Amino acid sequence: MMQKHDIKLDINGKKYEIAVEPRRTLVDVIRDQCGQTGTHAGCHHGVCGACTILLDDEPVRSCLVFGIQADGKKIRTVEGLAEGNKLHPLQQAFTDHHALQCGYCTPGFLMLAVGILEKDPDISHDDLVSALSSNLCRCTGYANIITAVKAAAEQMRAG
Amino acid sequence: MASKKKLILGERLRRLEDPPLITGQGRFADDINFPHQLHMRIVRSPYAHAEIKSINTESASQIPGVVAIWTHGDISDLGPIDFRADKSAEELKAFRQFCLAKSRVRYVGDPVAAIFAEDPYIAEDAADLIELDVNQLSVISDADQEPGEFDEGLGSEAALLTHTFGDVSPVWDSAYLVVDVDLRTGRHSGVPLETRGAIGVHNKTTDTLELYGAAKIPHRNRDTLVRMLSRPPAKIHLHEGHTGGGFGIRGELYPEDILVLVAAERLGRPVKWIEDRQEHLMAANQGRNQHHLARMAFDQNGQILAMADEFWHDQGGYVRTHGANVPNRTMCMLTGAYKIPAFQAKCHFRLTNKTPAATYRAPGRFESTFVRERIMDIAAEKLGIDRVEIRRRNLIGVDDMPFKIKFNEPGLETLVFDSGDYESLLDKALVHFKWDELQAELNERRAGGELVGCGLGVFVEESGKGPVDGARISVDINGDVEVLTGGASLGQGFETTMAQITAAALGADYNKITVLHGQTDRIPYGIGAHAARATVMTGSAVNITALKVREKALDVAAELLQTTADRLDIENSEVFISDNRNGPSVSLAEIAERLAPGSKNLGGREPNLSAEGFHNTKESAFPYGIHFAVAKVDAETGHIKVERFMVAYDVGRAVNHMLLEGQLVGGCVQGVGGALFEEFSYSETGEPLAVTLADYLLPTMDCAPAIECLVTEDAPSPTNELGIKGGGEGGINGVGAAIAGAVDDAIGQVGAVKELPVTPQRMKVMLNRAG
Ligand code: FES
Ligand code: FES
């Protein structure tokens, strides 16, 4: 067993003090050691984007980061999007526009979109498509995902 | 005023399954854990074909945290993985796969050892230390090369399969035109975003084995496990959680499923296995890999006189659970939507040293439509007949329905195309796509130097193959409705679909309905979700059952409202008198309470507001469709951009248009992947060259075309009461054919596309040949 290091994570405002092996990826730490299984892994290789989270408000692939590198940082995952029973506009738009089928890619797309729209609420269609093209979905054919994100963007701009 | 009942079927209702999935509360395989569980890691062969001399597990077993390491010898009492009950062709049995390779490995990825450890990272460390000593054997890299050896004295051609009707032999010499083609479809697979996973638990209290992570066909797999593990059905249970996409490949019984179960029992602890992506791309079923030499004969008006096809099906290292299902489906569906007097198909069903093949969405149909429609394009060109017109002249007519295809071979099932107006769909689709205007526009663009063109593919799909499925529905005293099915959900919206059917038939409030599926301990039978069966078979069973519950509810309500049942209606879980909507009413909850066991109001009735019902059928429902594509070729890079795509599809009756379009669009984009990017290629020595998602290229948002859907309900299926036909595979069937036609048209060379996917490299070769 490798030596473990004590780290502190802040996931959706909740503090976790845990000991991690240096080789554990952040996605594994979030899921296995913090029990937040909403974040998914589809490849562990940085290709599919299913594991996208916000690390200090930046969309990041959590399979490409070691848990230890997130020490002291602020993590946001899909579990933190809704406020109580009130869905985040992106969550609402995803269900309204049927932007998910199996739902496995959904947390990654939601977090990527949150990251994009928070930074650039007026992003153009082409830039949005190109930014969202970094994540994979095998079920929907994408059309409804882009529709949902644009609908949410409008909603978010309107306040 | 239209009643609610009529409205709810077909409505674009928001999905019942979404809330947990958008909030991170799903329960996918890797989200399932049991106390004290072990983690399994599979050691896989790095050789495509070799004889195993020895497997040294010594140093791996020294790693702290490793609990056990198994090779074939440790589970030699376990037979090979069986075919499903109905597919136990004797001649194929010798080609089945053991859970861990016995004396030979037959593809890169073939499991040779299983490591059980306290932690997945430790199991992976140990796997690196396993030493596999082998004698390498010559590799069979393609199905169409000389057959080789599967085992000592056993050749690699597992079977020579045929499907024929009429007599093709007199036709070739006398026909006005014979078109010959040499076509290939690449190796593709479903590649769901969630890899596979399996968790085995042995409940010692009841001596029951439980498999979590099951999907697609839990009940059928339970039946296979009953045979393989010699346990009674009550002592093996499969549980389906959330499933990250299936597409035909997830949910078949694989070596890993059986290993976790056997290990859970023998090691006395729960065993969890989660596949990594690299494993998935070399271990999960692949498909589509066929080489066709096909021909069709025509008279001078373009009427088809005969079709013949000899093809080689690359089955990979073993014959898995489906037996020879995919080549058989290929042969059945080759003639598609056309009336063809004589037909002869011959398939060389061959083992190679690649990942085993099986069903992938529209199995055998994507391939056969590509072959048939390629020939139609070439024939049109040679005869000087318009591409649409030649197809129209050969379509099976509305008066020919039901249209029977009876094969000469004894024992082959007769196909009965249940209903359809193919020509009317063609007309509607042409108008919707603005086909005529499009031709003018494309001519102009080509004159301006662009390489742009359009193509089409016409096809028949197959769905709802029986024989039977059932359901149990109960309403509790709170009015909550439980719909218990043996169906399965792979992301297609099964729960929503079943709830809509229940709401429509029973009159229950859609939001009070819970749909259960994939739990073999809750219901003893179930057809699962394969080959577009779910909506047709389970949906029909649910409809029948819901109507029974309705009848019982009305019987009680009639007594309470002092009228007769035929004067009553139910909406939003409230029973009222049809011609007095604002008058007295009674809720399903109250009726359930009156029917509770021991209730004074039972009268002679069986307790509970519940029923069980079955849908039996011997016939399949055949939806049909047409795909249109517009594609532009970049002469510099060979890159192909699909500019427009349309799926026209008749489903008989749609339960939820939003979900159906979702299926069509999603399937279509998968088809675009198969037509342009995706391919499992192998080196000559059988090494897989696509083992990450950076090599196996799934379509991304920027290369997915906007897809137009034209869903029609012109030909309800007479095989079930609702008239439903399946929608899962109509989006993908004709994509290869339509894009091939569009590429040909773009470069002005009919018949140029001979192989899918049309990668930029292949496109460049075609352009150079032309240039
Ligand atoms: S799991 Fe991180 S990118 Fe795929
Ligand atoms: S919804 Fe299944 S992968 Fe996107």
Side-chain angles (χ1 to χ4, degrees):
Chain A
M1 186 70 69
M2 275 191 202
Q3 166 136 38
K4 291 188 177 176
H5 296 259
D6 293 332
I7 61 167
K8 290 192 179 109
L9 297 182
D10 172 332
I11 305 179
N12 303 320
K14 204 165 161 216
K15 312 274 185 278
Y16 295 82
E17 296 191 14
I18 50 176
V20 298
E21 281 182 74
R23 63 174 176 170
R24 301 262 155 180
T25 58
L26 181 55
V27 62
D28 286 355
V29 170
I30 292 173
R31 291 176 48 84
D32 301 340
Q33 292 189 256
C34 305
Q36 301 301 297
T37 55
T39 303
H40 300 151
C43 71
H44 276 111
H45 259 77
V47 186
C48 73
C51 65
T52 305
I53 56 155
L54 297 181
L55 191 60
D56 285 343
D57 298 326
E58 275 300 318
V60 158
R61 298 179 177 222
S62 58
C63 70
L64 292 181
V65 180
F66 291 111
I68 202 166
Q69 294 173 290
D71 188 11
K73 299 208 167 142
K74 207 178 104 206
I75 294 167
R76 286 160 67 194
T77 68
V78 66
E79 288 98 333
L81 280 184
E83 282 171 42
N85 281 335
K86 187 160 170 22
L87 294 176
H88 185 281
L90 272 159
Q91 291 173 310
Q92 188 63 49
F94 266 57
T95 184
D96 288 348
H97 296 279
H98 189 31
L100 63 149
Q101 288 183 24
C102 78
Y104 198 76
C105 69
T106 310
F109 266 105
L110 286 170
M111 298 319 290
L112 177 63
V114 170
I116 294 168
L117 294 183
E118 283 184 355
K119 199 180 288 170
D120 185 0
D122 299 310
I123 188 164
S124 71
H125 174 84
D126 289 353
D127 289 347
L128 186 58
V129 168
S130 117
L132 292 173
S133 292
S134 57
N135 278 19
L136 293 173
C137 171
R138 189 56 161 167
C139 300
T140 62
Y142 301 108
N144 290 344
I145 295 181
I146 185 81
T147 308
V149 174
K150 287 171 77 173
E154 201 164 309
Q155 182 83 35
M156 286 161 75
R157 276 196 301 269
Chain B
M1 170 183 156
S3 80
K4 190 83 175 180
K5 178 180 157 193
K6 296 243 166 47
L7 264 177
I8 200 159
L9 270 194
E11 266 188 87
R12 310 174 78 91
L13 295 184
R14 228 182 261 129
R15 298 201 316 170
L16 291 177
E17 37 278 90
D18 286 352
L21 296 173
I22 52 177
T23 52
Q25 304 305 320
R27 246 166 87 80
F28 293 90
D30 197 17
D31 304 335
I32 295 168
N33 292 294
F34 291 91
H36 208 47
Q37 71 193 7
L38 290 170
H39 296 265
M40 179 174 83
R41 176 84 193 172
I42 298 295
V43 182
R44 298 179 184 278
S45 168
Y47 309 103
H49 195 192
E51 192 183 356
I52 301 174
K53 287 192 345 204
S54 66
I55 304 170
N56 187 344
T57 60
E58 198 44 46
S59 38
S61 62
Q62 304 298 318
I63 295 189
V66 172
V67 171
I69 301 178
W70 286 358
T71 60
H72 181 79
D74 298 286
I75 47 165
S76 54
D77 54 321
L78 205 61
I81 301 171
D82 217 348
F83 305 135
R84 293 198 207 141
D86 48 344
K87 299 275 159 45
S88 50
E90 273 309 311
E91 59 184 7
L92 298 179
K93 282 196 164 161
F95 302 95
R96 289 173 300 174
Q97 179 172 22
F98 283 95
C99 293
L100 295 170
K102 193 173 173 186
S103 50
R104 283 191 188 197
V105 288
R106 293 188 171 87
Y107 61 96
V108 172
D110 203 348
V112 293
I115 294 173
F116 303 93
E118 301 288 348
D119 177 283
Y121 282 64
I122 294 175
E124 205 174 329
D125 291 342
D128 291 340
L129 298 179
I130 300 285
E131 293 158 35
L132 179 64
D133 191 13
V134 302
N135 278 330
Q136 294 211 50
L137 299 168
S138 63
V139 169
I140 313 169
S141 54
D142 284 300
D144 54 3
Q145 72 181 52
E146 276 300 295
E149 192 190 65
F150 175 81
D151 213 339
E152 244 163 88
L154 189 60
S156 64
E157 181 157 299
L160 186 62
L161 309 161
T162 61
H163 277 57
T164 59
F165 58 77
D167 182 8
V168 299
S169 52
V171 179
W172 310 115
D173 288 340
S174 56
Y176 183 80
L177 172 73
V178 176
V179 176
D180 282 282
V181 290
D182 180 339
L183 302 170
R184 292 163 201 267
T185 42
R187 244 174 195 262
H188 312 153
S189 189
V191 191
L193 205 62
E194 183 200 17
T195 55
R196 292 178 297 144
I199 304 98
V201 178
H202 182 221
N203 180 334
K204 292 172 198 154
T205 313
T206 56
D207 185 28
T208 309
L209 283 178
E210 299 164 5
L211 180 65
Y212 295 82
K216 184 179 176 184
I217 40 166
H219 285 86
R220 293 207 172 183
N221 287 343
R222 193 256 332 257
D223 296 345
T224 305
L225 288 167
V226 160
R227 290 199 305 278
M228 284 186 67
L229 304 178
S230 309
R231 278 175 162 267
K235 296 294 182 188
I236 300 183
H237 284 302
L238 276 70
H239 299 282
E240 180 194 44
H242 281 118
T243 303
F247 318 120
I249 74 105
R250 184 201 300 281
E252 291 297 328
L253 265 191
Y254 283 97
E256 298 86 357
D257 299 307
I258 296 162
L259 285 168
V260 295
L261 279 179
V262 174
E265 182 172 13
R266 297 189 188 175
L267 301 176
R269 293 170 64 177
V271 176
K272 175 169 181 171
W273 173 73
I274 297 297
E275 184 178 51
D276 72 31
R277 181 55 68 182
Q278 189 175 3
E279 289 185 283
H280 182 88
L281 295 174
M282 56 171 83
N285 290 338
Q286 300 178 354
R288 302 270 198 263
N289 204 181
Q290 297 182 343
H291 178 193
H292 291 256
L293 293 180
R295 61 191 336 209
M296 265 159 94
F298 296 84
D299 71 11
Q300 68 217 67
N301 299 319
Q303 211 72 53
I304 306 167
L305 305 173
M307 179 180 199
D309 184 16
E310 178 169 12
F311 67 101
W312 288 261
H313 178 88
D314 184 336
Q315 175 53 34
Y318 298 95
V319 180
R320 280 187 169 164
T321 44
H322 295 85
N325 189 30
V326 177
N328 283 329
R329 288 347 283 164
T330 310
M331 292 189 279
C332 278
M333 301 309 281
L334 258 167
T335 53
Y338 306 131
K339 243 196 223 179
I340 301 183
F343 174 72
Q344 179 183 68
K346 184 152 94 179
C347 170
H348 301 269
F349 184 52
R350 290 204 184 152
L351 282 296
T352 59
N353 296 118
K354 298 181 194 164
T355 300
T359 51
Y360 165 38
R361 205 171 197 172
R365 276 99 81 180
F366 180 91
E367 301 90 314
S368 57
T369 297
F370 175 65
V371 171
R372 177 184 64 251
E373 297 298 295
R374 290 279 61 203
I375 300 179
M376 296 305 280
D377 282 349
I378 298 169
E381 168 80 3
K382 295 212 161 153
L383 294 167
I385 302 174
D386 177 73
R387 283 184 288 173
V388 173
E389 180 57 26
I390 194 170
R391 287 171 164 92
R392 184 191 297 278
R393 288 184 193 172
N394 286 287
L395 288 176
I396 296 165
V398 75
D399 299 333
D400 300 318
M401 294 293 167
F403 183 78
K404 278 202 178 88
I405 298 182
K406 187 167 169 19
F407 297 101
N408 294 332
E409 289 75 7
L412 286 183
E413 141 204 23
T414 298
L415 300 178
V416 185
F417 292 180
D418 53 337
S419 62
D421 188 343
Y422 301 168
E423 188 169 11
S424 138
L425 182 65
L426 179 63
D427 286 331
K428 289 183 182 174
L430 289 167
V431 171
H432 197 269
F433 203 61
K434 300 199 168 62
W435 178 263
D436 292 337
E437 295 93 311
L438 176 71
Q439 302 313 311
E441 184 193 309
L442 293 177
N443 280 333
E444 202 169 302
R445 288 176 65 187
R446 280 192 293 258
E450 282 182 79
L451 301 181
V452 62
C454 61
L456 78 161
V458 180
F459 60 89
V460 177
E461 254 300 334
E462 195 177 10
S463 72
K465 202 168 177 198
V468 61
D469 203 19
R472 288 177 187 166
I473 297 180
S474 54
V475 185
D476 74 8
I477 55 169
N478 192 42
D480 288 317
V481 182
E482 183 187 83
V483 181
L484 182 54
T485 75
S489 175
L490 299 146
Q492 74 275 48
F494 178 81
E495 294 172 25
T496 297
T497 310
M498 294 308 133
Q500 271 181 268
I501 292 173
T502 305
L506 171 56
D509 178 353
Y510 169 72
N511 292 305
K512 296 202 101 174
I513 300 173
T514 306
V515 177
L516 300 175
H517 49 84
Q519 313 301 325
T520 62
D521 58 346
R522 291 292 314 275
I523 188 163
Y525 48 78
I527 198 156
H530 57 131
R533 275 179 174 88
T535 310
V536 181
M537 290 302 301
T538 314
S540 297
V542 164
N543 181 51
I544 287 166
T545 311
L547 289 172
K548 282 191 178 180
V549 176
R550 179 188 180 91
E551 197 182 300
K552 191 163 183 183
L554 291 182
D555 180 49
V556 175
E559 194 175 286
L560 287 170
L561 301 174
Q562 298 178 356
T563 178
T564 52
D566 58 347
R567 293 192 55 220
L568 296 173
D569 201 354
I570 316 179
E571 254 179 40
N572 277 324
S573 297
E574 202 67 27
V575 188
F576 57 91
I577 299 166
S578 314
D579 53 16
N580 184 13
R581 292 183 75 93
N582 302 322
S585 71
V586 53
S587 70
L588 290 179
E590 290 167 75
I591 295 174
E593 195 160 6
R594 293 191 151 253
L595 286 171
S599 156
K600 299 191 295 293
N601 304 302
L602 266 180
R605 300 180 192 93
E606 281 292 308
N608 293 324
L609 183 52
S610 62
E612 178 171 31
F614 293 89
H615 172 65
N616 289 284
T617 181
K618 285 207 257 325
E619 276 127 37
S620 295
F622 292 86
Y624 51 97
I626 305 172
H627 287 180
F628 289 110
V630 176
K632 183 179 164 169
V633 178
D634 181 325
E636 283 301 303
T637 61
H639 183 84
I640 296 163
K641 183 172 166 53
V642 179
E643 294 186 344
R644 278 181 73 195
F645 203 102
M646 184 174 88
V647 178
Y649 202 50
D650 194 289
V651 290
R653 175 112 175 241
V655 177
N656 181 321
H657 280 277
M658 179 180 82
L659 266 53
L660 178 61
E661 284 166 19
Q663 286 293 303
L664 296 179
V665 170
C668 185
V669 171
Q670 278 187 322
V672 171
L676 298 180
F677 321 113
E678 297 176 29
E679 188 167 31
F680 288 105
S681 40
Y682 286 77
S683 74
E684 261 165 40
T685 50
E687 260 126 70
L689 302 175
V691 292
T692 72
L693 292 180
D695 317 306
Y696 188 85
L697 299 175
L698 303 180
T700 48
M701 189 181 282
D702 50 6
C703 58
I707 292 153
E708 302 155 56
C709 292
L710 173 66
V711 172
T712 60
E713 298 169 287
D714 293 341
S717 176
T719 67
N720 63 79
E721 261 175 72
L722 295 172
I724 302 173
K725 299 180 177 183
E729 301 174 301
I732 195 168
N733 184 314
V735 182
I739 290 181
V743 170
D744 280 7
D745 193 33
I747 62 172
Q749 292 178 62
V750 176
V753 175
K754 296 181 163 56
E755 182 167 12
L756 297 178
V758 196
T759 58
Q761 294 82 339
R762 289 193 182 119
M763 192 63 235
K764 287 290 277 185
V765 172
M766 279 159 32
L767 287 167
N768 292 340
R769 213 185 284 136

